[in-house]
Amino acid sequence: MRSTEDLGSSHGWRLSRGVTEDGREVFAKTGGASELFASEAAGLRWLGEAIAVPEVIDVAGDRLVLSWVEAERPTPEAAERFGRDLARLHRAGAPAFGAPWPGFIAELPMDNTPADDWPEFYAAQRVLPFVRQARLSSGDVRLIEQAVDRFGEVAGPPEPPARIHGDLWSGNVLWSAGSGVLIDPAAHGGHRETDLAMLALFGVAYQDRVFGAYREESPLADGWRGRVPLHQLHPLLVHVVLYGEAYRSGLMAAVERVLAL
């Protein structure tokens, strides 16, 4: 690189902004040595077939280099365009639930073995593995297991696998070029309501505009709002594993709401 600027760290990786020898502005994550960067690169390329994402310039075991995205302030118009773009991404579909590359969310591995049934996939490959890592009380675990047993009843009408970001909180949406640009994916074939529930978990700019435009482009099945806590179980469990007790109350509130469906 011709020049670099240190942007700090995240989940143990160093983040930097740089300029390549040929004058391109880039963003780089470096550090460690695992399949994680290759997984992220594969997900970005796959999502990029349908929606704006940073270009993968270089990837290796210890680094991921992407084109730089110049961020701007969100606007209502950008939120609506993002909602339509997200609907088109989901419609691009996937061969199965899961993906042909190893899964990660933050630094945590996820089982991406392809599956045909979403409630079973969500239970066995997204929720239960993180229950085992979360150091919860036996009472909490029993309630979560009761909720898991209801997934088939409360998941809504079956839908084909959607092409989803998989970790779509607001920090993974960069507002640029009049829409949202997706970064840091945990991309896989999943349920499209999962991405919407993740956006709702921590809020996103002009959320009503995003969801309204999404529904105009791709209507959602009846009862989708009631299923939001179902789709939030996995990200809340991830937060308990990563950050501990502070997220337990939010997790168990979502469990109670799933049990009440």
Side-chain angles (χ1 to χ4, degrees), residues 163-231:
R163 188 171 306 206
I164 72 169
H165 178 281
D167 189 13
L168 196 56
W169 72 289
S170 59
N172 286 340
V173 181
L174 292 182
W175 298 100
S176 184
S179 185
V181 177
L182 303 183
I183 62 170
D184 292 344
H188 62 281
H191 198 300
R192 62 197 180 116
E193 291 176 11
T194 296
D195 273 351
L196 299 178
M198 189 65 170
L199 282 175
L201 184 57
F202 299 114
V204 67
Y206 302 106
Q207 180 173 297
D208 288 345
R209 296 286 191 103
V210 173
F211 285 7
Y214 183 101
R215 294 171 65 196
E216 288 177 6
E217 182 75 24
S218 188
L220 292 159
D222 289 347
W224 71 274
R225 290 189 184 277
R227 292 188 291 273
V228 165
L230 166 67
H231 291 271

Side-chain angles (χ1 to χ4, degrees), residues 118 147 150-156 193 223 226-227 230-231 258-261:
W118 183 78
R150 300 203 65 222
F151 282 1
E153 303 170 41
V154 302
E193 291 176 11
R227 292 188 291 273
L230 166 67
H231 291 271
V258 172
L259 288 171
L261 287 174

